[in-house]
Amino acid sequence: MEDFTKVRMVEVPRNVVAGHDALSSVREMCEGIHTGRTGTIITGTRTMEAAAKDVLGYMDGYDMDVVQVGDATVENARIAEARIREFGSSFVLAVGGGSKIDLAKMVSKDLNIPFISIPTSAAHDGIASNRASLKSDTGSRSIESASPMGVIADTGIIAKAPYRLLASGCADVISNLTALKDWDFARRLKNVSFSRTAYTISRYAAESIIDSCGLIRPNLEDSVWLAIKPIIMSGVSMCIAGSSRPTSGAEHMFSHMLDLKHPGKALHGEQCGVGSIMTMYLHGGDWEQIRDSLKTIGAPTTARELGLSAEDVIDAMTHAHEIRSDRFTILGDQGISEEVAETVARATGVI
């Protein structure tokens, strides 16, 4: 049951612009949200060429600094924050993939300044969320961060990124279906906080991707257009819930365990998609629909396609519950045995 006695502020993106040549709206968006005239672009080497240079060209009349950083780590966040303080910026433009946007989220929260999310790819649903994936020697973990003040998703730019990234983003959103089952499961058994609005938006996003999966193909900007709106809405559902619950359950624990034990083998969304096949089987739901949708889009559905062995998958499923002891899922408090993990993986064709 939802708690109607609590008071909570919900921060969601104020402006969203998506479509062809959307990048040209960056100056207008900055003016509309009253960012001030001094800002910093957080980007990377490749994304500087892909979009950040064009962003600079559109920011005529603004005093802009550029910080090129790597992964979303505490160290890189501190580097960016020091530069922003020194330059005196009153806002941040995050131009890049997930790590650059995650860094901007952390910086925005720490410095209490707005940021605009400008993705150059759509490999997961963090484009519009208030959660950042923080990387460290012990793997990655989701932390609360700032919501973007605005989102500019230029479909022409995103379409130039490798198609694998878009397929991964779609897989990440499809995996909402099992995250939502876990959330409802925890609501019923553990009385965890629940938002029907966030639940509905997250489910709508996943079903939209599934409904359009036959039209999402490589080298088509129209495919980005079909995928980007549900990917953004999936992120918004987290903002509304105030947590990652609408989009992150046991399938994400599986992915994070793979990141910890087998880093760099596959993309986050790809791993979540495969994890979702297996966790939907555990829920007794329509795991075939998830598998078939992933196949249609061109996302992995097997351990081999993730670059993993059968033993890798069984081990990750067996230990996935250890990632977050505070998040109750279909895996339970104690996890599942190797025998159950192998049975599930074989029954679904993952191994």
Side-chain angles (χ1 to χ4, degrees), residues 3-311:
D3 182 359
F4 295 106
T5 65
K6 63 185 177 183
V7 176
R8 183 171 60 83
M9 179 181 290
V10 175
E11 294 183 354
V12 296
R14 176 172 161 182
N15 294 312
V16 176
V17 179
H20 186 75
D21 198 31
L23 202 64
S24 62
S25 68
V26 61
R27 190 175 187 277
E28 181 182 358
M29 184 177 288
C30 288
E31 291 173 346
I33 62 178
H34 309 293
T35 56
R37 291 282 172 171
T38 304
T40 293
I41 294 175
I42 293 180
T43 191
T45 304
R46 289 193 297 271
T47 51
M48 181 69 189
E49 296 298 321
K53 281 186 175 179
D54 290 334
V55 169
L56 277 173
Y58 289 124
M59 296 301 288
D60 183 48
Y62 282 72
D63 191 12
M64 301 297 299
D65 187 28
V66 177
V67 178
Q68 296 187 41
V69 286
D71 289 336
T73 63
V74 171
E75 293 77 13
N76 284 334
R78 298 295 173 260
I79 290 171
E81 286 175 12
R83 281 280 297 273
I84 290 168
R85 285 194 181 97
E86 181 181 358
F87 198 71
S89 295
S90 57
F91 70 98
V92 169
L93 303 179
V95 184
S99 63
K100 307 307 177 287
I101 294 172
D102 283 346
L103 274 171
K105 291 176 187 178
M106 290 188 279
V107 168
S108 175
K109 182 176 177 61
D110 289 346
L111 299 183
N112 195 29
I113 60 175
F115 89 97
I116 294 174
S117 172
I118 308 176
T120 55
S121 61
H124 58 71
D125 60 4
I127 291 170
S129 78
N130 61 350
R131 310 295 300 183
S133 181
L134 182 65
K135 298 184 185 302
S136 68
D137 294 337
T138 56
S140 59
R141 60 188 176 92
S142 175
I143 62 170
E144 183 180 357
S145 55
S147 301
M149 184 69 75
V151 179
I152 299 174
D154 192 309
T155 54
I157 290 172
I158 296 172
K160 292 176 183 177
Y163 177 73
R164 180 188 178 191
L165 300 179
L166 183 67
S168 174
C170 291
D172 193 19
V173 175
I174 288 172
S175 78
N176 289 5
L177 294 178
T178 47
L180 292 171
K181 281 194 173 291
D182 279 332
W183 196 14
D184 188 49
F185 188 52
R187 175 187 65 82
R188 288 184 283 113
L189 271 65
K190 300 287 188 177
N191 197 32
V192 302
S193 179
F194 188 79
S195 165
R196 294 193 183 278
T197 303
Y199 182 99
T200 301
I201 291 173
S202 174
R203 186 173 185 87
Y204 168 78
E207 291 175 346
S208 294
I209 294 287
I210 290 173
D211 290 344
S212 301
C213 66
L215 301 174
I216 299 174
R217 298 189 291 271
N219 305 314
L220 286 177
E221 188 174 341
D222 284 351
S223 294
V224 179
W225 173 249
L226 288 171
I228 199 65
K229 290 183 287 183
I231 289 173
I232 290 172
M233 293 306 297
S234 183
V236 169
S237 74
M238 286 184 263
C239 297
I240 293 172
S243 79
S244 60
R245 263 296 191 180
T247 67
S248 177
E251 75 296 322
H252 272 61
M253 294 179 180
F254 169 75
S255 176
H256 290 314
M257 183 56 71
L258 289 178
D259 288 338
L260 183 61
K261 296 195 172 191
H262 310 283
K265 286 286 187 177
L267 299 174
H268 168 77
E270 294 175 332
Q271 295 172 168
C272 290
V274 173
S276 188
I277 295 171
M278 293 185 287
T279 54
M280 185 60 88
Y281 181 93
L282 287 171
H283 276 290
D286 190 356
W287 61 270
E288 293 100 333
Q289 181 192 47
I290 293 175
R291 179 201 60 194
D292 294 346
S293 298
L294 294 173
K295 281 185 177 180
T296 300
I297 289 170
T301 60
T302 67
R304 182 187 297 272
E305 290 171 339
L306 290 176
L308 300 168
S309 68
E311 291 74 21

